[in-house]
Amino acid sequence: MNEHDSERISGLLEADGMAEANAMDEADVIVLNTCCIRENADNKLYAQLGQLKHLKKANPRLQIAVAGCLAQKDRDLIREKAGHVDVVFGTHNVHRAAELLTEARESGPIVEILEETAREDAAAFPSALPAKRESDFAAWVTIQIGCDNNCAFCIVPAVRGPEISREFAGLVTEVKALADVGVTEVTLLGQNVNSYGRDIQLARRQAGEDVRVRPLFGDLLRDVGAIDGIRRVRYTSPHPKDLRPETITAMAETDAVCEHLHFPLQAGSDRILAQMHRGYTGERFLEKLQEARAGVPDLAVTTDIIVGFPGETEDDFVRTLEVAAEARFDSAYTFVYSPRPGTEAAEWTDKFIPAEVTKDRMERLRTVIERSSRARHAERVGKTEIAAVFGPSKRDPDVMSGRTRQNKLVHFASDKPLKAGTYARVKIVDSGMHYLRGELLDITALPTHRTRIPVVSA
Ligand code: SAH
Ligand code: SF4
């Protein structure tokens, strides 16, 4: 979500007549787009602002802006700690980036933080913004902003506001427009994508409209997947408590939807899950996972896990290990619990887990994850996969890197460089914990975007 906001900020600055600088010390404007989901981002920001102070001395024209949810959380504190910052803005006024820089140039430093995005703005504004995409062929599409859940560890609802879904028809039009300019892969973004549309439905019902029980997230997958030119559809994140059978069916029946599910577990112990307010048990998580795997053959599953949530006992943690082992994840983002101001769990200071305990638990969890990661990758050897090439490998320019439908990194040699966005058929010959190695078979123009299901519109 944050990366996509950065693309939108770059797009706005470019539309305002700026061009990308080659290096920080050549820039006249530097925007630090921050995230406050975990604490180390705070520390990084202030360290970086310290470094930028020297640049500002060397180039007095330099404007420094701090954006994003950390800016929103710290607001005035940023200018107190770093007086050389010119503009501070949050996640709800990204669209003001260029104007705020101009205003600050004319009349001095500005801190502008909005508490929430108005529903009307949310509907129009992400698509109305010119985004400068990192990739020519892959694009993020925000389908929903904010979050209505109250996970005890999480600061997102406080900084991103309540859940607002963008209009179904507008989203489909937006993806069509992306396909027209050569985008073949889209990732639908939301904090809880399976509740997509719930708020629209409620608002219409309250307005006395006669509403059918849609649009749902599965409908969106089908309609986006049916757009000509769109070969891959991904999404993140589905909250395990809200993953519905319809979504699984839509995934299975829409060829363009990739065989990958990011399914954040957070913890395995029912006691901790309840304290987190996650709305599922370890058992229920595994059942849903089983349903998803049964419905979508060859499904890769990745996850997020938090270690050291306040009050986590050894037994609780062992249950996380058990559930993770049983789930056989393809990979996992593992996080040490980080108390976030204003969240419920941050109050439970007497239950905080000592750093040496979390360190030890983290190592044990990584061992479990590594085991399934290696095994899952090794299972791909001998298969033929389609790689969407994103460029030459970092280590060797003769080796191309791409992503398989399961979102696995794959490297393969090619006599000539392949353009980003090329779809290549590769035979997998080797694997590691985080990658596959393949041999190029041919370049594919397979129409993987066709769905077998008739298109339904909202
Ligand atoms: N909406 C998504 C999560 C978005 S935040 C969901 O509910 O699944 C991305 C990840 O950051 C979370 O899944 C969680 O594992 C991690 N995270 C969030 N707050 C955290 C905190 N306070 N400490 C450590 N990890 C955290
Ligand atoms: Fe945070 Fe929970 Fe919302 Fe995810 S679902 S963004 S973890 S509050």
Side-chain angles (χ1 to χ4, degrees):
M1 196 73 87
N2 187 263
E3 276 177 36
H4 182 40
D5 280 353
S6 296
E7 291 184 340
R8 291 152 69 198
I9 295 170
S10 312
L12 282 163
L13 300 192
E14 211 160 74
D16 197 45
M18 297 187 205
E20 194 176 327
N22 293 318
M24 287 258 259
D25 55 7
E26 290 175 18
D28 291 321
V29 169
I30 295 175
V31 183
L32 300 179
N33 186 27
T34 63
C35 170
C36 63
I37 192 101
R38 286 173 298 274
E39 195 176 6
N40 57 8
D42 296 31
N43 307 335
K44 261 199 231 162
L45 171 69
Y46 292 107
Q48 251 186 341
L49 284 177
Q51 286 165 7
L52 292 185
K53 204 169 178 179
H54 306 296
L55 284 186
K56 189 135 181 172
K57 274 210 185 106
N59 174 11
R61 270 161 51 98
L62 174 64
Q63 282 192 295
I64 299 172
V66 181
C69 57
L70 178 53
Q72 202 167 309
K73 174 176 83 64
D74 278 9
R75 40 190 85 189
D76 299 324
L77 189 68
I78 293 180
R79 288 227 351 112
E80 272 166 39
K81 282 196 179 179
H84 53 295
V85 170
D86 297 280
V87 177
V88 179
F89 62 100
T91 60
H92 302 292
N93 50 351
V94 167
H95 58 293
R96 293 259 296 144
E99 289 152 24
L100 288 171
L101 284 162
T102 307
E103 284 169 35
R105 207 171 298 129
E106 286 160 6
S107 40
I110 304 179
V111 176
E112 186 182 282
I113 304 291
L114 303 185
E115 290 313 324
E116 54 181 81
T117 305
R119 176 167 284 278
E120 318 77 79
D121 287 349
F125 124 92
S127 47
L129 286 183
K132 183 175 188 302
R133 286 182 281 105
E134 290 270 307
S135 155
D136 285 337
F137 77 94
W140 304 107
V141 175
T142 306
I143 65 165
Q144 177 191 56
I145 62 165
C147 180
D148 279 349
N149 291 309
N150 61 339
C151 302
F153 52 82
C154 185
I155 198 168
V156 168
V159 287
R160 293 272 177 177
E163 207 167 282
I164 302 177
S165 302
R166 296 186 53 218
E167 279 292 338
F168 191 100
L171 284 169
V172 175
T173 310
E174 186 172 330
V175 179
K176 277 188 183 143
L178 287 169
D180 284 346
V181 295
V183 167
T184 55
E185 173 172 326
V186 288
T187 303
L188 308 180
L189 285 178
Q191 294 300 345
N192 186 9
V193 290
N194 273 286
S195 65
Y196 169 80
R198 200 166 53 181
D199 54 321
I200 300 181
Q201 213 61 21
L202 194 68
R204 286 191 190 154
R205 208 165 278 144
Q206 279 168 351
E209 285 177 41
D210 177 20
V211 282
R212 293 167 298 149
V213 193
R214 67 184 311 265
L216 294 174
F217 180 61
D219 302 310
L220 193 60
L221 285 179
R222 289 177 197 276
D223 280 19
V224 167
I227 292 170
D228 251 348
I230 296 299
R231 294 172 63 146
R232 287 186 174 180
V233 179
R234 304 186 182 282
Y235 65 92
T236 193
S237 290
H239 193 303
K241 80 176 161 58
D242 291 321
L243 180 69
R244 277 190 277 249
E246 296 87 358
T247 303
I248 298 170
T249 315
M251 282 181 84
E253 291 178 348
T254 312
D255 289 354
V257 179
C258 292
E259 292 78 20
H260 173 216
L261 182 69
H262 185 68
F263 208 46
L265 169 65
Q266 314 299 2
S269 141
D270 295 350
R271 199 180 69 88
I272 294 291
L273 284 167
Q275 283 176 4
M276 286 178 164
H277 310 306
R278 287 293 289 181
Y280 51 86
T281 59
E283 205 49 48
R284 189 73 193 110
F285 178 91
L286 289 169
E287 276 165 25
K288 289 226 181 188
L289 188 55
Q290 183 46 38
E291 284 161 24
R293 283 192 169 130
V296 183
D298 214 19
L299 186 69
V301 181
T302 54
T303 199
D304 295 342
I305 300 175
I306 298 177
V307 171
F309 184 76
E312 181 188 73
T313 62
E314 173 63 18
D315 284 353
D316 290 323
F317 175 66
V318 167
R319 185 66 190 134
T320 297
L321 293 182
E322 285 168 3
V323 176
E326 196 169 335
R328 292 192 76 234
F329 294 116
D330 288 78
S331 71
Y333 294 102
T334 49
F335 306 109
V336 170
Y337 168 74
S338 159
R340 304 284 59 213
T343 59
E344 193 181 342
E347 306 281 310
W348 306 336
T349 47
D350 55 330
K351 294 203 243 158
F352 281 7
I353 307 296
E356 60 280 11
V357 177
T358 33
K359 187 164 174 277
D360 168 68
R361 288 182 187 168
M362 190 54 112
E363 277 165 23
R364 288 154 68 200
L365 175 61
R366 289 219 174 111
T367 308
V368 169
I369 300 293
E370 282 174 16
R371 196 176 306 140
S372 61
S373 251
R374 280 188 196 284
R376 287 263 177 219
H377 282 72
E379 283 162 16
R380 310 310 296 171
V381 174
K383 292 190 192 303
T384 296
E385 310 236 7
I386 312 274
V389 175
F390 57 79
S393 122
K394 276 188 207 140
R395 292 209 188 136
D396 181 349
D398 295 333
V399 170
M400 294 287 120
S401 297
R403 293 253 164 213
T404 66
R405 284 176 62 92
Q406 289 193 323
N407 208 28
K408 293 193 187 297
L409 184 61
V410 56
H411 305 294
F412 58 95
S414 170
D415 329 336
K416 52 179 181 12
L418 300 176
K419 260 182 41 193
T422 304
Y423 286 78
R425 255 178 5 117
V426 291
K427 173 125 195 245
I428 307 302
V429 292
D430 193 11
S431 71
M433 194 164 77
H434 297 297
Y435 66 89
L436 302 172
R437 198 168 292 288
E439 280 169 3
L440 176 61
L441 297 176
D442 51 24
I443 305 303
T444 153
L446 290 177
T448 49
H449 58 282
R450 290 277 166 225
T451 99
R452 294 181 289 265
I453 299 295
V455 180
V456 276
S457 345

